[in-house]
Amino acid sequence: MIGIVDYGMGNLHSVSKALERIGLPYLISEDIEELSKTDGLLLPGVGAFPDAMEILNETGKSEFLKQWAADEKPLMGICLGMQLLFDESEEHRQTLGLGLLPGKVMKFSGVTSEGEPYKIPHMGWNQLQFHQDHAILHEVEPGYVYFVHSYAVQTEDQDILLATSDYHQDVPAIVGRGSVVGTQFHPEKSSQVGMELLKNFGLLVEKGVKQFD
């Protein structure tokens, strides 16, 4: 059973419908006790990083998610949910994240290295480039996926970069270490590639795999 974490800032409907399409059992809950009885967690997110962390901290979900990851239980962040896995963000103000993966969330500069402006947010379909072998990528083709974001992760730890996409810079698109993974794009809106990723997460949850890599 996959638990979808409801903290008021996730696109719960589209995520749950995607799980239904591929036949994965799930529940949506804001209750920590109920979520703790599941086998894997999805942390979706749409909105601002500081607002999300404030809610997670006030409701006790931050400590719950940190302990979940420490216990090596499967956790997958989506879009803002992926960004929350990292150390901190500069969105609006400096805000500490969950600290499960090393890195900082920073806004796109909006200017190329040649001084040409480009559009923010990064919105629409963009292609993946795979960099690591990982169980979450099993039999997934490096095709096109759907992004909507104005901030991107910057990290010096290349080992956690499973896939990137090019938007005037290398954008971490799929990240992971141990039982923690995340996608900057929306897998639930990313056609076959996204469905395969969610299916792989479901299979790993079902098998009780603690270390994905």
Side-chain angles (χ1 to χ4, degrees), residues 96-111:
L96 295 179
L98 295 171
L100 303 180
L101 295 172
K104 183 175 182 178
V105 181
M106 303 183 69
K107 191 170 185 177
F108 285 108
S109 68
V111 180

Side-chain angles (χ1 to χ4, degrees), residues 1-77:
M1 176 70 71
I2 294 174
I4 302 175
V5 182
D6 180 3
Y7 60 107
M9 295 188 66
N11 193 347
L12 307 180
H13 178 75
S14 62
V15 173
S16 62
K17 288 300 179 184
L19 296 184
E20 288 177 13
R21 286 199 298 272
I22 54 179
L24 292 178
Y26 70 91
L27 63 83
I28 300 172
S29 181
E30 61 182 18
D31 184 73
I32 289 175
E33 184 175 352
E34 190 171 21
L35 290 168
S36 68
K37 296 176 182 177
T38 64
D39 304 300
L41 294 178
L42 280 178
L43 181 66
V46 177
F49 191 106
D51 296 338
M53 283 307 304
E54 183 176 2
I55 295 170
L56 292 179
N57 290 333
E58 288 179 351
T59 59
K61 290 184 178 65
S62 290
E63 291 306 315
F64 168 65
L65 291 167
K66 290 176 185 178
Q67 187 59 54
W68 185 275
D71 292 338
E72 299 181 326
K73 297 179 181 179
L75 170 62
M76 181 175 181

Side-chain angles (χ1 to χ4, degrees), residues 66-141:
K66 290 176 185 178
Q67 187 59 54
W68 185 275
D71 292 338
E72 299 181 326
K73 297 179 181 179
L75 170 62
M76 181 175 181
I78 295 174
C79 197
L80 173 62
M82 185 200 97
Q83 295 179 359
L84 296 172
L85 302 176
F86 285 84
D87 292 322
E88 61 180 319
S89 172
E90 68 170 16
E91 185 173 1
H92 301 325
R93 61 182 183 274
Q94 293 296 120
T95 305
L96 295 179
L98 295 171
L100 303 180
L101 295 172
K104 183 175 182 178
V105 181
M106 303 183 69
K107 191 170 185 177
F108 285 108
S109 68
V111 180
T112 69
S113 57
E114 291 79 25
E116 296 295 325
Y118 63 85
K119 183 180 178 181
I120 301 174
H122 173 205
M123 184 186 306
W125 295 85
N126 208 338
Q127 190 167 20
L128 296 173
Q129 293 89 43
F130 289 173
H131 301 290
Q132 313 276 355
D133 289 329
H134 195 283
I136 201 72
L137 303 178
H138 179 64
E139 295 187 349
V140 178
E141 295 295 327

Side-chain angles (χ1 to χ4, degrees), residues 166-183:
D166 180 26
Y167 191 68
H168 307 287
Q169 66 182 60
D170 284 334
V171 177
I174 307 176
V175 297
R177 170 168 288 151
S179 62
V180 176
V181 295
T183 65

